[in-house]
């Protein structure tokens, strides 16, 4: 365990996964006094598909650990999407696979090098509240309890809801999805499977299976069930009548590479399951003095269960907001608004597309005239027209109806 930090800091980050470590590193580099606490010592295992897609690569480069990660990872050139009738589409991309035990340890070390004080193994027990504002947290390690005061607390505690419940931020106790995975070593198949294979099949209920090549002749094989819990009339959520182990067995029957891996390979460490929180749903994102980020905020993508890059991006957004809060003297409401993940538009509950960030135009049937802003919330360039505004012939910045192509002809905008 790291030496105790001081009893007070600028920001206390709870959870040292990708979101928490990314947030802590960016905060420390921004000049804030940061404590990064986690209930486990590192390195530690984490149930995940381990796939790194382009958004994860971009975040790793921002954190300047991309080269270190890729030195350990298995590089992959494409994703193979296999449909229920056997049709296959291969999508090339910048991809890799690295077990979370290794990846998360790299990220934690990077945060520590940046100046964040690592505190393990300490579990979040409850927030410290003064006058309705969170001013720190109570942590527990075995029989020991300590309180750390902080200007801000960031919850990056993943899909398990206990921390959200304790902090009064949980709106849905049950997960959005569940997954089961195992590591299978099969030297004979090394080099034969060179894609991230994601499989949808009628025997997999409403879910999917995957086979991802990891380093050292090991393969990450698993299944995921989306919309795993449904709400009853009394508001309680119950899990669908699906057995994940039976689903895994079905996957190894219907997908030939998975079948060959399980028949001739060695399962390492057994099958392990985990919940997922998806679609920016199930938790409040902020309250005075506290932000929620990463999978705790529902950052995982429901269609494939991918969430590493999205978790890091939300962690970086939270850090960006808190650095600006101190630099610009923002109040709590402004800081929380800057840190919030970006949804499609103000009419989000009725929006059928729910595109989260960097959307260029809203497709929400309930709000045809709205336009979306990018993740950094930059103001539009002079004369730039949103996708919705182009259709209406008006400029998003000056409201002028004059335009030529995608440029506004207003004299005010031309200046």
């Amino acid at each position: 365990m790291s030496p105790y930090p001081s009893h007070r800091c600028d920001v206390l980050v709870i959870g040292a996964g990708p979101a928490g470590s990314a947030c802590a590193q960016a905060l420390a580099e921004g000049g804030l006094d940061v404590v990064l606490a986690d209930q486990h010592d590192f390195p530690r295992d984490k149930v995940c598909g381990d796939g790194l897609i382009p958004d994860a690569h971009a975040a790793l480069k921002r954190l300047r650990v991309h080269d270190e990660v890729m030195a350990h990872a298995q590089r992959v050139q494409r994703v193979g999407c296999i449909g229920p009738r056997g049709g296959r589409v291969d999508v090339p991309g910048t991809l890799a696979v690295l077990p979370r035990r290794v990846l998360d340890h790299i990220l934690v070390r990077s945060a520590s090098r940046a100046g964040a004080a690592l505190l393990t193994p300490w579990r979040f027990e409850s927030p410290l509240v003064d006058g309705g504002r969170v001013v720190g947290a109570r942590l527990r390690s075995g029989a020991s309890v300590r309180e750390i005061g902080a200007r801000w607390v960031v919850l990056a505690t993943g899909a398990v809801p206990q921390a959200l419940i304790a902090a009064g931020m949980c709106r849905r106790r049950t997960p959005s999805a569940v997954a089961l995975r195992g590591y299978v070593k099969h030297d004979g198949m090394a080099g034969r499977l060179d894609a991230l294979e994601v499989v949808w099949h009628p025997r997999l209920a409403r879910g999917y299976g995957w086979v991802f090549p990891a380093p050292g002749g090991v393969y990450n094989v698993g299944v995921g069930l989306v919309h795993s819990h449904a709400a009853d009339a009394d508001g309680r959520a119950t899990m669908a009548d699906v057995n994940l182990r039976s689903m895994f067995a079905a996957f190894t029957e219907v997908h030939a590479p998975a079948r060959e891996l399980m028949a001739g390979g060695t399962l390492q460490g057994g099958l392990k399951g985990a919940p997922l929180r998806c679609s920016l749903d199930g938790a409040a994102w902020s309250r005075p003095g506290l932000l929620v980020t990463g999978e705790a905020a529902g950052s995982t993508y429901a269609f494939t269960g991918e969430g590493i890059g999205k978790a890091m991006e939300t962690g970086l957004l939270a850090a960006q907001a808190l650095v600006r809060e101190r630099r610009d003297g923002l109040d709590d409401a402004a800081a929380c608004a800057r840190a919030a993940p970006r949804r499609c538009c103000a009419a989000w509950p009725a929006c059928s597309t729910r595109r989260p960030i960097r959307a260029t135009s809203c497709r929400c049937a309930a709000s045809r005239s709205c336009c979306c802003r990018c993740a950094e919330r930059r103001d539009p360039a002079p004369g730039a027209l949103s996708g919705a505004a182009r259709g209406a012939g008006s400029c998003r910045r000056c409201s002028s109806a004059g335009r030529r192509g995608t440029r506004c002809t207003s004299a005010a905008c031309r200046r």
Side-chain angles (χ1 to χ4, degrees), residues 80-404:
C81 303
I82 303 168
R85 297 183 180 181
R88 178 179 180 122
V89 175
D90 284 293
V91 181
T94 302
L95 310 160
V97 180
L98 184 63
R100 289 284 299 278
R101 179 180 179 85
V102 180
L103 174 69
D104 289 12
H105 198 199
I106 291 174
L107 294 172
V108 164
R109 292 200 306 266
S110 183
S112 295
R113 288 194 300 267
L118 179 63
L119 186 64
T120 63
W122 287 82
R123 175 176 54 85
F124 174 79
E125 192 168 75
S126 63
L128 303 178
V129 181
D130 182 14
R133 190 183 193 280
V134 174
V135 294
R138 180 177 293 107
L139 308 178
R140 177 178 292 276
S141 181
S144 300
V145 176
R146 67 179 294 133
E147 295 182 347
I148 297 179
R151 165 68 182 163
W152 285 92
V153 174
V154 177
L155 281 188
T157 48
V160 177
Q162 277 72 18
L164 291 172
I165 295 170
M169 306 300 284
C170 189
R171 292 178 177 170
R172 176 187 171 106
R173 297 192 176 204
T174 52
S176 313
V178 289
L180 183 74
R181 72 98 172 99
Y183 290 116
V184 182
K185 186 171 178 59
H186 195 315
D187 293 328
M189 293 191 71
R192 289 173 52 192
L193 292 177
D194 59 353
L196 304 179
E197 294 194 343
V198 184
V199 181
W200 292 267
H201 191 278
R203 288 190 59 191
L204 301 182
R206 298 187 304 276
Y208 55 90
W210 71 82
V211 177
F212 293 171
V218 175
Y219 294 84
N220 185 315
V221 184
V223 293
L225 177 66
V226 296
H227 308 301
S228 58
H229 292 70
D232 294 334
D234 60 0
R236 299 192 178 190
T238 56
M239 183 171 174
D241 186 18
V242 177
N243 184 297
L244 280 180
R245 290 185 177 270
S246 298
M247 189 174 166
F248 186 92
F251 176 54
T252 62
E253 293 174 7
V254 302
H255 188 53
R259 181 169 63 247
E260 187 173 351
L261 281 168
M262 295 304 295
T266 302
L267 183 64
Q268 300 184 328
L271 299 178
K272 296 182 180 181
L276 291 81
R277 297 179 76 88
C278 307
S279 304
L280 300 177
D281 190 25
W285 298 337
S286 63
R287 59 182 286 191
L290 185 144
L291 301 177
V292 180
T293 192
E295 193 169 16
S299 62
T300 298
Y301 183 41
F303 189 54
T304 61
E306 192 284 323
I308 296 174
K310 296 160 187 62
M312 288 188 286
E313 186 170 5
T314 61
L316 290 169
L317 283 171
Q320 182 184 71
L322 296 185
V323 169
R324 289 181 178 177
E325 183 253 2
R326 190 170 83 161
R327 183 191 69 195
D328 300 340
L330 302 179
D331 59 18
D332 285 357
C336 291
R338 284 185 180 272
R342 309 299 189 255
R343 283 181 167 174
C344 170
C345 63
W348 168 267
C351 181
S352 60
T353 57
R354 297 192 176 190
R355 297 166 62 186
I357 57 173
R358 295 193 178 93
T360 56
S361 62
C362 178
R363 296 183 179 180
C364 172
S367 185
R368 294 290 186 191
S369 62
C370 78
C371 56
C372 303
R373 290 180 285 182
C374 74
E376 289 79 17
R377 290 200 170 192
R378 287 190 290 261
D379 289 333
L385 296 171
S386 71
R390 283 196 296 271
S394 61
C395 175
R396 163 166 81 170
R397 183 163 188 168
C398 71
S399 301
S400 169
R403 64 181 176 87
R404 182 180 298 114

